[in-house]
């Protein structure tokens, strides 16, 4: 067995996992044997995801069996089952095996048209696009120039609703104040929607992200 060099990131106070008081994340060096092993495991997970989704739900066999079927800790299955019911918990477990949609927010119609030409699909919110074919987002044309950025569809919906409400106030260009703005996605979205935005953040590290 080969020895490998790891970089360790201590967990913050109060972080818990399965009852533990703290968690440390070990990150193998790039191209190390552990990194290759982790990638191989992830490939196997991707290969078997469909067959796992097709496993029969062990109805009536108790929480432990149901949690194994759902690929989650038993305590989490019990909480989901108790709070939302069996049907919702089952659907949540199956959805967790699906690859999440990558949502993009385009700056203007030119940016949206360019992304659609590359295969992106129009989303449910104005300016939103779903990118389903994978690939490196930062390598796409327009990303470095700020023509679009990655933003979850729920955040885009929030920005669209806030912008629409602000425009009902009657001002030709409503003003928005975002006091916890970093890294800046919602502020940029409001600005692209026609609002005059003042963005700030009290955390120095996050403020640096906001400036960039």
């Amino acid at each position: 067995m080969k020895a490998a060099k790891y970089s360790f990131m201590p967990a913050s106070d109060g972080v818990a996992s399965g009852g533990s008081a703290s968690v440390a994340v070990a990150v193998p060096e790039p191209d190390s044997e552990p990194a290759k092993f982790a990638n191989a495991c992830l490939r196997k997970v991707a290969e078997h995801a469909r067959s796992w989704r097709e496993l029969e739900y062990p109805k009536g066999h108790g929480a432990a069996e149901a949690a194994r079927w759902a690929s989650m800790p038993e305590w989490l299955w019990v909480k989901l089952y108790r709070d939302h019911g069996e049907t919702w918990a089952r659907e949540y477990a199956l959805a967790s095996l699906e690859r999440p949609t990558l949502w993009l927010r385009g700056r203007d119609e030119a940016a949206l048209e360019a992304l659609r030409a590359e295969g992106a699909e129009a989303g449910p919110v104005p300016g939103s696009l779903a990118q389903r074919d994978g690939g490196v987002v930062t390598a796409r044309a327009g990303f470095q120039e700020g023509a679009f950025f990655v933003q979850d569809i729920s955040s885009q919906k929030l920005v669209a609703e806030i912008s629409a409400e602000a425009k009902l106030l009657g001002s030709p260009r409503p003003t928005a104040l975002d006091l916890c703005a970093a890294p800046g996605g919602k502020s940029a979205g409001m600005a692209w929607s026609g609002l005059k935005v003042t963005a700030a953040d009290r955390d120095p590290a996050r403020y640096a992200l906001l400036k960039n």
Side-chain angles (χ1 to χ4, degrees), residues 30-113:
D31 298 322
S32 66
E33 293 302 317
K36 294 176 182 177
F37 176 74
N39 286 331
C41 290
L42 291 173
R43 284 194 295 270
K44 285 296 181 182
V45 169
E47 292 171 3
H48 289 82
R50 180 171 297 279
S51 62
W52 291 343
R53 287 195 295 271
E54 295 172 353
L55 290 175
E56 183 178 355
Y57 173 68
K59 189 175 182 63
H61 288 270
E65 284 296 322
R68 279 192 286 270
W69 170 85
S71 298
M72 65 177 64
E74 185 176 347
W75 67 265
L76 178 57
W77 171 263
V78 170
K79 178 173 176 56
L80 295 175
Y81 188 101
R82 182 183 63 240
D83 293 351
H84 303 285
E86 182 180 39
T87 299
W88 191 97
R90 289 177 60 177
E91 291 177 352
Y92 177 91
L94 291 173
S96 297
L97 292 174
E98 298 289 344
R99 182 184 180 93
T101 299
L102 178 66
W103 290 101
L104 309 176
R105 173 65 160 89
R107 181 177 58 196
D108 50 31
E109 186 55 38
L112 296 173
E113 182 60 32

Side-chain angles (χ1 to χ4, degrees), residues 124-126 128 151-163:
V125 177
S128 67
Q151 188 175 52
D152 187 76
I153 193 62
S154 60
S155 294
Q156 294 193 49
K157 182 174 177 60
L158 174 65
V159 168
E161 291 177 351
I162 290 174
S163 300

